[in-house]
Amino acid sequence: MERLMRVGFGYDVHRLVDGRRLMLGGIEIPSAMGLDGHSDADVLLHAITDAVLGAAALGDIGSHFPDTDARYKDADSAELLGAVIGLVAERGYELENIDATVALQKPKLRPHIDAIRARISDICRLPVGRVSVKATTTEGLGFVGVGDGAAAYAVCLLRAASTSASGRDGDPKL
Ligand code: MG
């Protein structure tokens, strides 16, 4: 059967500033600085959201939730990702797994990784064993390294959901 699996990729960057909360993967990380943006600026959830949209060829986060729209001011990125999961579910796909990397110079994310994975598992209704989150510094190099911002990269795999959500001949509705 064709089109059973689709891979998606997402990438996002946000600037680090004083006076903002640092939201990553749907949880708040204790930090002197936070990520700036129209929404809660959760760079990791934004990359995952774009990966899911990308796998379904449904555009990007900016086309679905424009930062010029007052409705998304300080938006909870967990809700945006949840909406996108619903969107691909309507088209007959569900998430198989997520793998993501956050590039941030400080604070160190390792102590928070399990909490982040658990939260993403909850948002995506996906067993935590299918949610991978890694963290890296950039060894002091580039905009991440000098502490100007954070970047996140994510890939995900979508697979055709059960036959009840599939199209006439068993193919998903994409
Ligand atoms: Mg973003």
Side-chain angles (χ1 to χ4, degrees), residues 62-171:
S63 61
H64 288 267
F65 313 107
D67 63 6
T68 51
D69 190 327
R71 280 180 300 170
Y72 304 119
K73 175 106 177 76
D74 300 321
D76 178 351
S77 297
E79 289 183 14
L80 307 186
L81 176 54
V84 162
I85 301 279
L87 211 57
V88 297
E90 286 170 14
R91 284 159 175 78
Y93 276 91
E94 57 190 34
L95 266 173
E96 173 66 25
N97 75 305
I98 294 167
D99 183 23
T101 297
V102 180
L104 180 69
Q105 195 61 34
K106 65 178 184 184
K108 294 281 187 224
L109 294 181
R110 187 148 304 155
H112 307 290
I113 289 291
D114 284 344
I116 291 172
R117 290 177 65 214
R119 179 71 179 120
I120 293 171
S121 159
D122 185 44
I123 296 165
C124 297
R125 298 179 291 279
L126 193 63
V128 74
R130 296 198 222 157
V131 178
S132 164
V133 176
K134 292 107 59 205
T136 187
T137 70
T138 59
E139 304 279 340
L141 297 170
F143 71 87
V144 168
V146 298
D148 283 345
Y153 308 78
V155 291
C156 74
L157 202 62
L158 296 185
R159 68 178 148 74
S162 61
T163 48
S164 60
S166 297
R168 195 177 38 184
D169 59 2
D171 271 356

Side-chain angles (χ1 to χ4, degrees), residues 12-14 43 46:
D12 195 30
V13 168
H14 281 266
V43 70
H46 291 183

